[in-house]
Amino acid sequence: MRYFILAMFVLAVPGRLAAETGSAAWLRYAPVEAAVRGRYSALPAHVVTVGDSIVLKTARAELVRGVQGMLGRTLRAEAELPQQSAFVLGTFANLAPILPGVGFPAHLREDGFVLKAWRLHGFPSLLIAAPSERGVLYGVFALLSKIARQQNIAALDEVQEPAAPLRWVNQWDNLNGSIERGYAGRSIIFENGRVREDLERAGDYARLLASVGINGCAINNVNADPRILADDFLPQLVRVADAFRPWGVVLAISVDLSSPKVIGGLETFDPLDARVGEWWRRKAEEIYRQIPDFGGFVVKADSEGRLGPSAYGRTHADAANVIARALAPHGGVMFYRAFVYNHHLDWRDAKNDRAKAAYDNFHPLDGQFENNAVIQIKNGPIDFQVREPVSPLFAGLRRTNEAIELQITQEYTGQQRHLCFLPSMWEEALDFDLHADGESTPVRDLASGRAFHRPLGGFVGVANAGMDANWLGHPLAMANLYGFGRLAWNPDLQAGTIAEEWTRLTFGNDPVVVRTVATILVESWRIYESYTGPLGAGTLTDILGSHYGPGIESSERNGWGQWHRADHEGIGMDRTVATGTGFVAQYPAPVARLYESLQTCPDELLLFFHHVPYTYRLHTGKTVIQHIYDSHYEGAEQAEELVRQWTGLKGQIDDERYEAVLARLEYQAGHAIVWRDAVSNWFYRMSGIADAQGRVGHYPDRMEAEAMRLQGYVPFDVVPAENASGGKAIECAGLQPCAADFRFDRPAGQYELDVQYFDQNNGASTFRVYVDNRLVDEWVANGSLPATKPGGDSSTRRRIPGLKLRPGDEIRLEGIPEGAEHAPLDYIEFRQGK
Ligand code: GCW
């Protein structure tokens, strides 16, 4: 009883917001505030659906659910057009005969819709009509989004259509349930080599996708396990298709080109061998017999160790076409990835350039692909780096369908531990004018197929949502999935608009919340860029491992081709025609001119296209080396500023999501300093040029762990050295517990103490901090960072605020190792006045 009263009390506290896990994402349908509810009082109380397909049923149920949640009203479903005001849902074909006066648009793209206020039998009604059933569902979501964002919907008369027919996500899920480059838990589709028994979350995912107009999902890793095409797998795929179907999301799979041989029993997978063609034909037939609305296949071939047509001296067109022809009679689409390159490039040859690979491989084949084949091109010529120019291949295919592949999962952009709102980056890529044929041809028109009047085209987002309740790990990362869908629907949208829409739907309409969150989002990409990968040099991360923390040299002297070519004199890849790899020539002339010349090449891409000395002056007037130092310091400060901005929202957002975001932002601010120090120290060592502001290499507020008095703890070298302060740290590998202590020798006052330690994923050490034998903090390093040793991936900050310290105080750090994690410590730093 006591608990019950307590619970009532908690619920009754005015203004207290109910905890949310984030699982509802942007489809919360939170009650519309009383002050604006009047805006919707005239909405109909009835809903009629003309037609009874499964997608129409979903549309109606969603409308009922949304109106119930937001306005607290239960819509009555009617079988016939009532003699009172109603929501009327249906396709043009079904509605036109019974609503003769309406006049639906004659040429609306598939999946488009109409929202229209209409007097029906004299009663004010609302039509949600579309050429296809899926369009009706999209219309419902659009209407509900307007209500959630408190928009006025009286006198609605709106027509929307998508920019392109193909708006898909790819999941890189493995059949064992892991996800390649996934940062939010296990697969929602697979488990232990099979499709999960419980596909409820897969259905919820399809609902989220549909709500932003995404109409296809390829569910498995492009590094495809051939077993996905095995006979006994098909019934499992049928179940996934069933889970997606109510939401108009078609199921697709990634397939391995060698399947006819590996699981088909043929001795070859040569795309020009008639038996191979026959195998794909039968396979497609078998699939469509059981999944009539199957979407198609995605293929990664001759890339990163995958087998491909080169095994038989065939072309990518041969490979794509043999499968495309098998899919064509059923309306299936064949996505063939342009991410084909040699990862054993000789780095000693200054003419070698991975950036050239996609164009070199696919441009010569333009016009040779079947009409249902689509070349899926990553936005940049390298690989989802924090900053790249757009791929020249977008302009290099005119008689071939193409789609742009964007990465929602933040492989190179902080892995959902750092905030990085990617629509800001995508907007720039989509707006970039490649001037194919001298005409204006922004990437969005090339990818959508509009520029060259292609039958197919579109947008593919690598999403990698997982079992984490909030789908992507970082609560704010969902803005990337939302933003991808919105841009695929309408690539003219601005990142700021998307950020605002998403914030309203996700956190409500409070103006301070909307302004703060949208600002944080919009600034986050540049902030992330500024402390990671400067001036187009690429994300300076551990290329050979996690792709997460700093790993500045890891890109060099190996065949992966993500080189920045920094040495003692300068940095950058010379990709010019005059003196470099000649990559620039792959762009149409106006763009090539822009990048070829140092005068016109934008600073932010300078090092992508040119090799320059550290003393080279940017358009801003700064030298390259000083820019590297400054941007890393500014970026780390801005990351700290994000924390401050967020804390201003305490109480305005439910505690659960507030705390979840705060924890990530605080972690990010600490890790931004790890990045800052690693990059700036590495470049200081390389260039020998000091920071004009005297920051790099000088840390007056720091006490290195190896400089403390150690009991049990032993110093060791961290490799690479720049990933730990002073290149060294201490670990407790023998007798435990271990301790490190020293006497405080600064002026008395209030301090904030930052303890920099390493949090590996192969142990959970305990740390304790004492001041004069008084325990002031204790924590367990049990995060899940991608690291099994101390270094840039695992380096983590613990902040202890509000410590009163006097000279002579003994500060002692105690570490208790667990598993393979030896309670490693790097340094502590004092900040006064906090
Ligand atoms: O960015 C790289 C990733 C690989 C990925 C590959 C690709 C699925 O590091 O994990 O493989 O791209 O896009 O095929």
Side-chain angles (χ1 to χ4, degrees):
M1 187 61 183
R2 255 199 0 243
Y3 292 117
F4 180 61
I5 292 168
L6 186 72
M8 297 245 308
F9 176 73
V10 169
L11 287 174
V13 172
R16 192 185 166 101
L17 300 160
E20 294 188 41
T21 60
S23 63
W26 53 83
L27 296 177
R28 294 157 61 243
Y29 301 142
V32 167
E33 286 142 56
V36 275
R37 208 169 297 164
R39 228 172 257 178
Y40 309 106
S41 55
L43 279 183
H46 302 262
V47 53
V48 191
T49 316
V50 183
D52 70 347
S53 80
I54 180 156
V55 175
L56 284 180
K57 284 196 180 117
T58 313
R60 182 183 58 204
E62 190 69 23
L63 183 67
V64 171
R65 176 175 176 177
V67 168
Q68 178 79 59
M70 291 188 285
L71 303 172
R73 280 192 265 149
T74 310
L75 295 179
R76 285 250 309 271
E78 305 287 344
E80 310 266 302
L81 291 186
Q83 291 297 324
Q84 45 199 321
S85 73
F87 290 98
V88 182
L89 276 52
T91 60
F92 292 169
N94 285 346
L95 292 183
I98 52 173
L99 297 171
V102 178
F104 294 113
H107 302 287
L108 197 58
R109 280 169 172 261
E110 208 186 331
D111 295 350
F113 58 84
V114 171
L115 300 176
K116 200 177 177 77
W118 185 255
R119 286 194 87 78
L120 187 65
H121 308 313
F123 297 100
S125 295
L126 224 163
L127 310 184
I128 304 177
S132 69
E133 281 136 10
R134 189 150 56 199
V136 177
L137 176 62
Y138 292 167
V140 165
F141 277 119
L143 179 75
L144 294 172
S145 166
K146 286 177 194 292
I147 299 174
R149 289 179 289 121
Q150 303 187 344
Q151 294 198 343
N152 202 330
I153 54 167
L156 256 190
D157 190 4
E158 184 173 313
V159 180
Q160 282 200 37
E161 59 178 1
L166 300 168
R167 303 175 306 280
W168 284 27
V169 290
N170 287 180
Q171 287 276 136
W172 288 350
D173 297 25
N174 297 312
L175 308 192
N176 67 9
S178 63
I179 305 182
E180 180 153 348
R181 314 297 177 189
Y183 310 107
R186 307 283 294 175
S187 169
I188 60 175
I189 309 280
F190 304 105
E191 193 177 37
N192 299 327
R194 302 177 51 80
V195 166
R196 279 178 176 276
E197 285 309 315
D198 179 357
L199 288 174
E200 192 182 327
R201 238 174 115 76
D204 290 348
Y205 186 46
R207 172 169 170 258
L208 279 179
L209 298 179
S211 74
V212 285
I214 294 169
N215 59 7
C217 175
I219 55 175
N220 61 312
N221 195 347
V222 288
N223 294 323
D225 186 330
R227 277 187 305 141
I228 191 99
L229 281 178
D231 293 340
D232 67 334
F233 220 92
L234 187 50
Q236 302 179 49
L237 297 180
V238 169
R239 292 179 40 238
V240 184
D242 290 346
F244 287 177
R245 187 168 299 110
W247 304 100
V249 174
V250 297
L251 171 75
I253 56 173
S254 298
V255 298
D256 189 277
L257 207 70
S258 68
S259 302
K261 185 170 169 188
V262 182
I263 58 139
L266 299 184
E267 70 217 20
T268 176
F269 63 93
D270 179 355
L272 294 192
D273 188 304
R275 289 165 301 170
V276 170
E278 180 59 15
W279 189 86
W280 284 110
R281 202 185 59 74
R282 279 168 184 265
K283 199 37 106 178
E285 239 174 48
E286 197 181 311
I287 294 175
Y288 279 92
R289 204 172 308 127
Q290 300 198 43
I291 311 176
D293 56 354
F294 184 72
F297 295 145
V298 182
V299 166
K300 170 177 178 178
D302 277 331
S303 166
E304 300 186 331
R306 310 302 301 174
L307 289 168
S310 68
Y312 300 94
R314 308 303 186 198
T315 71
H316 293 296
D318 296 332
N321 288 343
V322 66
I323 304 179
R325 283 184 204 119
L327 294 168
H330 313 282
V333 180
M334 167 69 220
F335 282 92
Y336 198 93
R337 297 177 86 229
F339 187 63
V340 174
Y341 69 101
N342 170 5
H343 67 281
H344 298 292
L345 270 186
D346 182 358
W347 68 92
R348 283 156 296 221
D349 184 342
K351 295 289 175 196
N352 278 344
D353 189 355
R354 168 170 163 185
K356 290 166 84 172
Y359 189 94
D360 282 350
N361 277 298
F362 288 88
H363 171 69
L365 301 174
D366 189 21
Q368 296 182 29
F369 291 87
E370 292 288 337
N371 262 341
N372 64 327
V374 178
I375 307 302
Q376 181 168 321
I377 309 169
K378 290 191 183 187
N379 59 286
I382 299 285
D383 190 5
F384 299 136
Q385 301 298 289
V386 68
R387 166 96 54 182
E388 289 185 55
V390 303
S391 170
L393 184 58
F394 291 115
L397 299 177
R398 296 163 193 221
R399 291 170 295 130
T400 304
N401 302 321
E402 58 185 65
I404 186 169
E405 180 180 311
L406 301 167
Q407 203 184 36
I408 297 160
T409 191
Q410 295 169 234
E411 175 183 357
Y412 281 99
T413 50
Q415 304 190 350
Q416 282 109 286
R417 297 180 188 93
H418 292 235
L419 176 64
C420 189
F421 179 61
L422 294 163
S424 307
M425 177 207 279
W426 300 334
E427 176 187 22
E428 281 195 23
L430 293 169
D431 283 352
F432 189 82
D433 194 341
L434 274 165
H435 295 287
D437 281 342
E439 304 287 321
S440 170
T441 53
V443 169
R444 66 180 118 85
D445 291 347
L446 292 163
S448 67
R450 209 178 265 188
F452 295 119
H453 312 289
R454 298 299 314 163
L456 287 178
F459 302 78
V460 178
V462 180
N464 295 357
M467 286 300 280
D468 280 8
N470 67 11
W471 302 96
L472 285 177
H474 197 310
L476 302 184
M478 281 301 268
N480 288 330
L481 180 58
Y482 179 85
F484 167 76
R486 296 292 290 135
L487 283 170
W489 183 268
N490 177 8
D492 292 329
L493 278 178
Q494 290 181 344
T497 310
I498 294 170
E500 190 195 316
E501 276 182 12
W502 178 82
T503 305
R504 287 180 184 277
L505 297 171
T506 304
F507 292 113
N509 293 283
D510 178 285
V512 177
V513 173
V514 173
R515 200 171 48 240
T516 309
V517 178
T519 308
I520 286 177
L521 288 174
V522 167
E523 288 171 354
S524 60
W525 168 50
R526 274 177 199 281
I527 295 175
Y528 186 79
E529 176 187 30
S530 64
Y531 62 78
T532 54
L535 303 170
T539 312
L540 299 176
T541 188
D542 179 7
I543 298 297
L544 303 174
S546 62
H547 300 182
Y548 180 58
I552 300 126
E553 237 165 303
S554 65
S555 55
E556 305 309 296
R557 290 174 293 285
N558 59 54
W560 289 96
Q562 291 184 225
W563 311 315
H564 50 62
R565 302 248 187 242
D567 57 19
H568 291 295
E569 308 301 323
I571 175 172
M573 268 292 282
D574 183 354
R575 294 190 156 106
T576 62
V577 177
T579 53
T581 68
F583 166 71
V584 165
Q586 293 184 346
Y587 289 98
V591 179
R593 274 197 300 276
L594 174 81
Y595 290 143
E596 177 81 7
S597 151
L598 271 171
Q599 273 69 52
T600 53
C601 183
D603 284 350
E604 65 219 17
L605 285 172
L606 177 71
L607 304 180
F608 192 92
F609 288 108
H610 298 273
H611 184 84
V612 295
Y614 291 114
T615 50
Y616 178 82
R617 279 195 193 278
L618 302 171
H619 294 116
T620 60
K622 264 186 202 177
T623 60
V624 164
I625 190 71
Q626 195 57 40
H627 174 92
I628 292 176
Y629 297 149
D630 289 353
S631 70
H632 283 78
Y633 273 83
E634 282 156 20
E637 262 166 40
Q638 287 161 352
E640 187 69 55
E641 183 55 33
L642 293 179
V643 177
R644 267 194 292 279
Q645 283 168 271
W646 184 258
T647 50
L649 299 180
K650 189 166 173 57
Q652 317 279 95
I653 285 174
D654 62 285
D655 290 345
E656 186 169 1
R657 289 186 301 164
Y658 171 83
E659 294 295 342
V661 173
L662 180 62
R664 299 237 168 185
L665 290 178
E666 282 177 340
Y667 164 78
Q668 175 182 359
H671 201 227
I673 291 175
V674 176
W675 267 97
R676 178 198 79 187
D677 291 352
V679 173
S680 50
N681 280 305
W682 190 88
F683 280 99
Y684 180 30
R685 204 173 70 227
M686 265 295 135
S687 69
I689 302 173
D691 168 23
Q693 295 197 46
R695 298 158 298 189
V696 178
H698 302 289
Y699 309 99
D701 297 330
R702 250 176 223 186
M703 177 79 185
E704 296 292 343
E706 59 274 17
M708 299 175 193
R709 194 171 62 130
L710 305 181
Q711 289 165 277
Y713 263 121
V714 180
F716 68 99
D717 293 328
V718 171
V719 182
E722 65 275 7
N723 284 350
S725 192
K728 288 188 188 307
I730 60 172
E731 62 176 349
C732 179
L735 279 185
Q736 28 175 289
C738 295
D741 63 60
F742 62 99
R743 293 226 172 254
F744 184 70
D745 62 356
R746 287 152 208 261
Q750 181 94 349
Y751 286 85
E752 183 173 80
L753 201 70
D754 288 340
V755 180
Q756 199 70 28
Y757 65 103
F758 299 91
D759 188 349
Q760 302 163 200
N761 59 18
N762 52 358
S765 317
T766 301
F767 293 98
R768 297 199 183 104
V769 179
Y770 298 85
V771 175
D772 275 344
N773 288 321
R774 184 171 52 88
L775 181 69
V776 296
D777 198 13
E778 170 173 2
W779 70 96
V780 178
N782 58 359
S784 55
L785 294 160
T788 53
K789 59 184 181 56
D793 288 340
S794 53
S795 188
T796 305
R797 181 180 74 178
R798 173 80 177 187
R799 176 156 282 183
I800 310 171
L803 279 185
K804 276 212 174 75
L805 297 174
R806 285 166 323 188
D809 281 350
E810 185 207 52
I811 297 181
R812 192 169 86 251
L813 307 172
E814 211 174 87
I816 304 159
E818 197 272 330
E821 185 184 82
H822 301 144
L825 283 166
D826 192 358
Y827 64 86
I828 69 169
E829 191 162 290
F830 297 97
R831 302 222 250 161
Q832 210 175 355
K834 299 280 167 72

